[in-house]
Amino acid sequence: MNKSMPLNISNFISKILDGSIIRFKDRENAAEMLCSILKDNLTKIQSNESLILGITRGGIILGDIISRKFGYPFHIVIPRKLTAPHNRELAIGGIMKDNTIYLDTSLMKTLKINNEYLDIDKQRKLEEIKKIEVILGKQVEGEKLKEKNIILVDDGVATGATLLVTSRWIRKYEPKNLTIATPICPHSTLSLLKKETDYIASIINPSSRNFDTVENFYQKFEQLEIEKLTYILKKYKL
């Protein structure tokens, strides 16, 4: 766990006696915990100097709660994972709509992934981004990030591919600083993300041997319906 965690954080979590794994009740519960960790940093910043960015889909739930808690504006970002040919859950990288890209070159070499497959997957994911924007609305324009305190939010991290590519995209627009806020992040991924950001707020940081999926660290990890997401985003008139 993050050493800066407040003492009352146990009020927000449920301990499950199956190997000392700590699980959040749900995404809303995880967001409240992140608010407690972020409080000291964010209350010192003027609202017009900051922007909360939620990664679709789960980051929208947490980002909305953090935004309302601190009174900061909110927007969405839409990275997509680039995935291995025979395992669509295994990320080999990430991509943004302007072709900003992150690649795990070591993993690609191990899996012997060639450029032909990569080009096909990149195009597939760019099409997905277009479809998501039609449904949820356009992601934030890069120009709005300049000289802002950016808080990038997701509901959990595995390889970190989408957070890594989004962080690199954000950095292109010269923000004042960049904070990543995610309740779950394996130690190995945490080390990668620290190189891309100014500050990371994270709560549960399991070792690789204790990490399978983000879902395992939630008691309730429901599939997010489009209707729920559009209802949230209507408040921000995106």
Side-chain angles (χ1 to χ4, degrees), residues 54-58 60 75-81 95-97 123-140 162 223-227 229-230 233 238:
I55 289 182
T56 58
R57 296 186 177 184
I60 292 177
H75 218 302
I76 61 172
V77 282
I78 314 174
R80 303 304 290 166
K81 285 194 302 185
I95 192 168
M96 302 293 290
K97 66 184 285 186
Q123 190 57 44
R124 183 188 299 124
K125 299 308 166 59
L126 290 172
E127 291 299 321
E128 286 183 13
I129 291 172
K130 289 180 182 177
K131 291 177 181 177
I132 293 171
E133 284 194 313
V134 169
I135 297 169
L136 296 180
K138 298 282 187 182
Q139 75 166 18
V140 66
T162 52
Q223 180 69 28
L224 293 172
E225 301 296 333
I226 292 297
E227 291 77 11
L229 299 178
T230 53
L233 297 178
L238 304 185

Side-chain angles (χ1 to χ4, degrees), residues 147-175:
E147 290 299 312
K148 291 291 179 68
N149 300 288
I150 305 299
I151 300 91
L152 179 61
V153 184
D154 205 357
D155 60 1
V157 185
T159 64
T162 52
L163 276 173
L164 284 163
V165 73
T166 308
S167 297
R168 293 182 182 186
W169 176 76
I170 290 170
R171 289 291 193 192
K172 288 164 60 174
Y173 294 95
E174 300 178 340

